């Protein structure tokens, strides 16, 4: 199974609660934090919802 690395690049301050919960579910929480996750459809969907707050690092 392949992995993807996600990095948080923007703050969740002032964002809707659902976006904050998605960031927490991805294992992020502060700017600059990275996390290696399994490349699944559910993870891709969460990344799509908060794509303006994170970037996918290859």
């Amino acid at each position: 199974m392949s992995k993807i690395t996600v990095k948080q690049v923007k703050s969740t301050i002032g964002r809707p609660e659902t976006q904050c919960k998605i960031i927490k579910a991805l294992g992020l929480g502060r700017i600059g934090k990275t996390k290696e996750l399994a490349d699944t459809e559910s993870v891709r969907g969460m990344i799509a919802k908060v794509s303006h707050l994170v970037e996918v690092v290859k």
Side-chain angles (χ1 to χ4, degrees), residues 8-38:
Q8 185 174 348
V9 294
K10 288 191 178 178
S11 174
T12 57
I13 295 173
R15 303 290 176 180
E17 186 178 348
T18 55
Q19 292 178 6
C20 295
K21 287 182 178 180
I22 290 170
I23 291 290
K24 295 265 187 201
L26 288 171
L28 305 173
R30 61 178 74 144
I31 297 173
K33 190 168 183 183
T34 60
K35 191 76 173 188
E36 190 171 302
L37 304 165

Side-chain angles (χ1 to χ4, degrees), residues 1-4 37-47:
M1 180 176 269
S2 61
K3 302 270 187 177
I4 55 174
L37 304 165
D39 189 10
T40 62
E41 290 182 21
S42 59
V43 171
R44 288 280 180 173
M46 288 192 285
I47 291 170

